[in-house]
Amino acid sequence: MVEAARYLGGEVLERELARVFRRSWLLACPSARIAQPGDFAVFDLAAESVILWRAHDGVVRAFVNACPHRGTRLLDGAGRRERLVCPYHCFSFGDDGRLLSAPYLNEPPELSLQALPAEERFGLVWVDFGAERSLDEHLAPIADLLRERSLQGFGLSSDVSVDLACNWKISADVHGEALHVPSLHPEIASKVDFVGARIVAHPPHAVIEVAPRVEGLGTNVLVYVFPNAHLNLHADYALIFRHCPHATDPQRSRFDQYALAKTAPEQPEPPRHVAADDPAIGPITAADLHIAERVQRGLGSGRISPTLTHPERLLGWMLHSLDRHLAENDD
């Protein structure tokens, strides 16, 4: 049984943000989003905002998205910059984070953007808000699979986000099981073996493999990366789903979707906020997002204790991983 309070309570959300998200390596963006020196992308998580910026030495660096002078948010979305200039007082920073110039200061002080650890692995950029383990340790249980199915060299087809009226875990749940395929996705139910989906835990992560029933289709590999990402990996394209908690409201979240392909445009489109029915989301994921909000409305009574069946055991594993992480980080 799963208590509805997990998806409703503000105290639960506060503990998750403090003891899971701020103590974990998180998937920030695909490498293709910031492929060239000077490219940047903003990653927002609850009240936190981080700039991922590929420097001219080719290294991706992460900086808190706030000017150290007076705290102004520096950037939004994604794009290209030779230097970062605060829109408020025009303090200017280089790609190493150091202050380059400031108005009315002949000798600029030792003032730098606040840096966070960031690393690239398997065609993905990861950022650390305060993890106690290295990225390699975090990804070790699924490293062989990610290496085999690396997204290095893939291009970015689309980068979209949807604001949802549901808890981030409900958004994650609907992407973590295949039991709903015949009811929500009848157009693919006859093409995949959703009943025989193979689910394997790789603590704290997990993998679902769904075999095809139609000749020519490859096995769909879905990787759950703790705490809040799914990698839907195919031979020549991939979808990345990221489920981001709201800063204060446990019944709201943001769903991010990156579409990647080996034949994607060289210059990716800018990120967009869209509705769930936007063509970039696609009908299958749109159906998932709509049902996630419907689940939240049902759980709102607080009188439900959801029951997980055998095909939904990845959901139970995700909650187990969260509980374990929360317990380990209890003060």
Side-chain angles (χ1 to χ4, degrees), residues 1-328:
M1 303 286 277
V2 180
E3 293 301 321
R6 284 181 175 272
Y7 306 92
L8 303 172
E11 182 181 346
V12 175
L13 175 62
E14 289 176 7
R15 292 182 71 237
E16 290 171 347
L17 289 172
R19 303 179 186 184
V20 176
F21 286 93
R22 294 193 182 103
R23 299 190 187 183
S24 298
W25 282 92
L26 302 175
L27 197 162
C29 69
S31 295
R33 176 76 276 176
I34 48 174
Q36 302 300 321
D39 288 350
F40 76 87
V42 171
F43 168 45
D44 291 330
L45 178 84
E48 306 272 5
S49 184
V50 180
I51 299 167
L52 291 309
W53 195 11
R54 191 175 296 278
H56 285 80
D57 59 7
V59 175
V60 174
R61 295 187 172 89
F63 302 105
V64 173
N65 190 11
C67 180
H69 170 224
R70 294 271 294 279
T72 305
R73 183 180 173 99
L74 292 166
L75 293 171
D76 293 296
R80 187 177 180 82
R81 293 286 189 279
E82 293 298 316
R83 57 173 60 188
L84 297 187
V85 180
C86 176
Y88 194 7
H89 297 106
C90 297
F91 278 53
S92 174
F93 301 87
D95 62 15
D96 59 358
R98 290 188 297 178
L99 181 68
L100 298 177
S101 63
Y104 304 106
L105 291 174
N106 293 327
E107 295 185 12
E110 291 292 327
L111 194 65
S112 299
L113 300 174
Q114 184 180 343
L116 292 172
E119 297 186 32
E120 285 187 273
R121 296 289 189 282
F122 316 115
L124 301 165
V125 179
W126 310 80
V127 66
D128 169 20
F129 284 88
E132 297 178 354
R133 297 194 301 168
S134 70
L135 176 61
D136 288 331
E137 288 177 301
H138 178 61
L139 296 179
I142 51 175
D144 289 344
L145 174 59
L146 295 183
R147 188 176 297 109
E148 177 187 343
R149 299 242 179 181
S150 174
L151 298 175
Q152 192 68 44
F154 279 57
L156 184 61
S157 300
S158 69
D159 173 357
V160 293
S161 298
V162 180
D163 291 325
L164 295 177
C166 70
N167 186 274
W168 72 273
K169 296 186 295 296
I170 294 178
S171 176
D173 287 351
V174 76
H175 291 90
E177 47 92 353
L179 183 65
H180 67 269
V181 168
S183 55
L184 292 189
H185 314 307
E187 67 271 37
I188 63 169
S190 63
K191 299 178 181 178
V192 297
D193 182 14
F194 59 89
V195 175
R198 181 171 176 263
I199 303 172
V200 181
H202 299 272
H205 319 288
V207 176
I208 302 179
E209 295 182 1
V210 182
R213 285 176 169 165
V214 177
E215 188 176 349
L217 290 179
T219 297
N220 176 204
V221 177
L222 182 74
V223 184
Y224 164 61
V225 184
F226 182 87
N228 70 322
H230 286 95
L231 311 179
N232 197 337
L233 305 175
H234 300 262
D236 54 1
Y237 74 96
L239 292 172
I240 298 173
F241 306 136
R242 188 172 56 202
H243 319 279
C244 297
H246 190 270
T248 58
D249 190 342
Q251 299 188 52
R252 294 172 59 193
S253 61
R254 189 188 76 247
F255 172 80
D256 300 330
Q257 177 180 285
Y258 296 99
L260 299 105
K262 290 185 175 179
T263 57
E266 190 170 315
Q267 185 62 39
E269 293 184 1
R272 296 185 296 129
H273 254 85
V274 301
D277 294 322
D278 189 273
I281 290 292
I284 293 176
T285 302
D288 291 337
L289 300 183
H290 285 307
I291 203 69
E293 293 187 324
R294 196 176 182 93
V295 170
Q296 184 70 61
R297 293 200 299 272
L299 289 176
S301 69
R303 299 174 182 272
I304 306 299
S305 294
T307 301
L308 300 180
T309 65
H310 186 68
E312 300 166 289
R313 59 191 180 278
L314 187 148
L315 279 58
W317 175 251
M318 186 188 85
L319 295 177
H320 171 74
S321 295
L322 279 171
D323 285 345
R324 184 173 173 181
H325 206 83
L326 288 167
E328 288 174 354

